[in-house]
Amino acid sequence: MSNHHPCICISYRKVLLAIVEPIKSDWQDRLMRDLKALPKAHLHLHFTGSMRITTLRELAAAQQIRLPENFSADAALHVPANQRGWFRFQRAYDAARKVVRSESTMRRIIHEAAADERQEGSKRLEIQIDPTSYAPFVGGITPALEIVLDAAKAASHDTGVQIGIIVAASRMKHPLDAAILARLAAKYAGAEPGCVVGFGLSNDERRGETAQWAKAFRIARKAGLAAVPHGGELLGPQHLREIVEHLHPARIGHGVRAVEDPALLQQIVDQSIALEVCPASNVHLGVYQQLGDVPLRNLLDAGVKIALGADDPLLFRSRLAAQYEAARTILGFSDSELATLARCSIEASLASPSDKQKWYREIDSWLLTSDEASQQCASADPPTLASTPKNSSLQSDH
């Protein structure tokens, strides 16, 4: 006959349930689902920065162009977050851009980017380009943009990855140049793959007064293009306030420094402005010392709509799925939280409502269906009450 009182046994079981159920839930959630199978949208990728390192080296060799050491040594670029650091980054980027001197190369970059995004699990890619950088080699900015649009349409068909184009002005150039680009972008605005879907502003955030580019963004918004300027990576909250006030963004490229001002952060949430957060870029450009310092969870907990991005994988050697992997392994995001990030990226995209709904369902399926690795992990039973030793130390003294 047992010496334990029934009430004590019931209490003992409740204690065990309180311990085991959270462990079991966490065990189930952390089954290692394949992050490349997670449907997602990639909204922060630059044209030249998307290039494969193998393509860069091949093109450079064919044209006898000498590449900086970080490209030849197969090392990611690391620079401090100051003017000298930005100069080094820009010099490397310009060196890569020098190999892009023909229509065939431009088409190749778009097609390879689409193929790479398919491998990363992207359903939608919104890639940005400043066509003035390639205009001298293809007959002007209009042909340069048309080449990219036609290549994006073809690559969308070939790979199944929807591609929208963002025309981006540069802070290094006069605001009147931005207005010219905005008018050009407006002529090719559309919702189908291979159309211009947004207008951006990139390069060194410390250059120029943000209000000077307001006219260009008014032109773009009037044509139905989303405003997607860069900001809040190298500069802090005040810079972001100017972007919100003068450019009226739907999304902001980076924007991580918004965490430094709770009032600004709440304004971004209230206005449903999405942030394109690029963890690897933040570290490689010296904004944060390590990936664990990137305030991804702070932003998500505040209610910000986040779309993870790779920015320039050619320089940082880190593509889109690696950003999700960093969120999982370094920042401690569960698979359900990673699914939330993927949903946010799709919601922040400029895809059609019907496509978004389809991809949301695919994300739900990803959560419900574990991959081969998780099935192997699942072959071992999770903790249960039945597996708890009967002679547990959690016993009553009665």
Side-chain angles (χ1 to χ4, degrees), residues 233-249:
E233 184 180 36
L234 300 177
L235 295 180
Q238 181 55 39
H239 175 63
L240 281 167
R241 284 195 200 91
E242 293 169 1
I243 288 175
V244 171
E245 177 184 356
H246 297 294
L247 306 185
H248 306 285

Side-chain angles (χ1 to χ4, degrees), residues 50-58 67 70-72 74 314 317 319:
S50 74
M51 201 186 325
R52 295 172 179 171
I53 185 66
T54 52
T55 297
L56 173 67
R57 290 170 178 166
E58 177 190 323
L67 295 173
N70 63 289
F71 291 132
S72 57
D74 203 22
L314 174 63
R317 308 299 167 85
R319 292 195 176 273

Side-chain angles (χ1 to χ4, degrees), residues 166-179:
I166 294 170
V167 173
S170 172
R171 281 184 174 268
M172 308 294 283
K173 299 175 183 176
H174 198 280
L176 288 178
D177 291 331

Side-chain angles (χ1 to χ4, degrees), residues 37 197 310:
V197 296

Side-chain angles (χ1 to χ4, degrees), residues 318-345:
S318 181
R319 292 195 176 273
L320 184 59
Q323 315 310 308
Y324 284 82
E325 183 63 35
R328 170 193 269 169
T329 59
I330 298 174
L331 297 173
F333 277 61
S334 66
D335 279 6
S336 45
E337 290 174 318
L338 295 171
T340 296
L341 289 175
R343 287 191 189 95
C344 285
S345 73

Side-chain angles (χ1 to χ4, degrees), residues 4 50 60 92 155 165 170 204 224 247 309-310 326 328 367 374 376 379 386 398:
H4 295 296
S50 74
I165 300 299
S170 172
D204 192 345
L247 306 185
R328 170 193 269 169
L367 274 175
S374 67
Q376 292 174 354
S379 63
H398 288 79

